[in-house]
Amino acid sequence: MTVQSKQELLALKAIGRIVARTLQAMIDALAEGMTTAELDQIGRKILASYGARPAPELCYKFPGATCISINEQVAHGIPGRRKIRNGDLVNIDVSAELNGYFADTGASVPFGAVAPVAKRLCMATQEALQQALKIAKVGHKMADLQKAISRVADRHGFSVIQNLTGHGIGRHLHEQPRHVPDNSHEKDRRRFQKGTVLTLEPFLSTGPRYAKALSDGWTLATAAGNFTAQYEHTIIITEAEPIILTTCAA
């Protein structure tokens, strides 16, 4: 989607604010022994209180309102009976629709006495997102995102998950441009265009470079014993710094 009017901007800010507040409320509610299904229900109720609809269910019939992935799980974890334990690295991904507009956000949360490597991984992934945001300007190459994220990962001794990246968003959960950045092409010539709405969401891991689908048909994971972190914002491209939609004060 490309933003064409102030009305569209305001609508995107509204749903961006809602998913950001929902994410923060879910983070604040984390408790030892809570199941991921119970955490998901908290997110569902908050979205409903704003009149927003969970995007994974709406667009893909995902069996949950939000995606919750723990430790070696990378993305699209199905909320269920798994309990949150002290030392877990919990990723919460919230996306939703309001009045025909979508936004998507996520964060990895070290819960309790997490291993030092998991904390370092989270800090590195947040740094990677900040570096990506600096590049996301009109005329800059999308391929430069890949370089910037990789530099951060290499400096901290981590790997980049290659088959999960950002994407266009706005009138649907996933739109063009797909694969931002496109890690499968070394010579990606695409450049950022003014007004484009998309997500930036680097995934860094303690070793693996690819996430594999589990038998449930949704969850993407690495081998047990690994950690993966992800942080995500929905943004609008401008000639200066991007407009970050997924903040509680958007």
Side-chain angles (χ1 to χ4, degrees):
M1 175 183 176
T2 301
V3 176
Q4 303 285 351
S5 68
K6 184 177 180 179
Q7 285 183 325
E8 290 182 337
L9 174 60
L10 291 175
L12 288 164
K13 283 187 173 183
I15 186 58
R17 184 167 55 246
I18 289 168
V19 296
R21 289 178 176 176
T22 302
L23 173 63
Q24 187 59 56
M26 293 175 71
I27 291 172
D28 293 342
L30 280 171
E32 188 167 6
M34 170 187 283
T35 67
T36 55
E38 290 170 337
L39 182 60
D40 181 64
Q41 282 301 309
I42 292 171
R44 180 184 295 280
K45 289 178 181 178
I46 295 170
L47 291 174
S49 73
Y50 287 106
R53 296 187 290 176
E57 283 185 340
L58 179 64
C59 297
Y60 302 113
K61 298 182 179 180
F62 178 77
T66 65
C67 301
I68 304 171
S69 310
I70 298 177
N71 296 338
E72 76 282 356
Q73 296 174 340
V74 181
H76 309 159
I78 300 173
R81 292 181 289 181
R82 184 167 180 171
K83 293 183 178 181
I84 297 166
R85 300 297 189 189
N86 182 46
D88 280 342
L89 181 56
V90 183
N91 179 269
I92 305 170
D93 194 311
V94 181
S95 56
E97 175 271 345
L98 180 70
N99 298 325
Y101 294 89
F102 290 77
D104 191 0
T105 191
S108 294
V109 186
F111 181 72
V114 176
V117 68
K119 292 182 179 180
R120 290 195 295 104
L121 177 67
C122 288
M123 289 191 295
T125 310
Q126 288 174 302
E127 181 183 339
L129 176 57
Q130 292 305 312
Q131 291 302 314
L133 288 168
K134 291 179 181 179
I135 292 168
K137 298 179 182 180
V138 172
H140 288 196
K141 293 180 181 179
M142 291 186 186
D144 288 341
L145 290 177
Q146 180 183 7
K147 297 175 184 176
I149 293 169
S150 294
R151 280 196 297 267
V152 173
D154 290 345
R155 187 166 66 252
H156 292 281
F158 298 120
S159 300
V160 179
I161 298 292
Q162 299 293 305
N163 57 326
L164 285 168
T165 60
H167 53 86
I169 191 172
R171 287 292 194 170
H172 192 276
L173 180 56
H174 293 97
E175 298 181 352
Q176 296 294 339
R178 304 281 185 172
H179 310 300
V180 183
D182 189 344
N183 295 325
S184 66
H185 291 284
E186 293 182 359
K187 296 183 179 179
D188 182 2
R189 301 184 185 280
R190 297 175 300 168
R191 295 179 182 268
F192 291 105
Q193 303 296 318
K194 186 175 181 178
T196 301
V197 188
L198 50 82
T199 71
L200 294 183
E201 47 180 316
F203 290 80
L204 270 58
S205 87
T206 51
R209 293 170 57 83
Y210 290 90
K212 297 181 179 180
L214 299 186
S215 59
D216 63 21
W218 293 102
T219 307
L220 296 172
T222 60
N226 292 295
F227 289 107
T228 301
Q230 173 247 21
Y231 293 88
E232 177 181 18
H233 275 310
T234 298
I235 65 172
I236 300 173
I237 300 298
T238 75
E239 293 176 349
E241 295 180 356
I243 299 170
I244 300 176
L245 298 171
T246 43
T247 68
C248 293

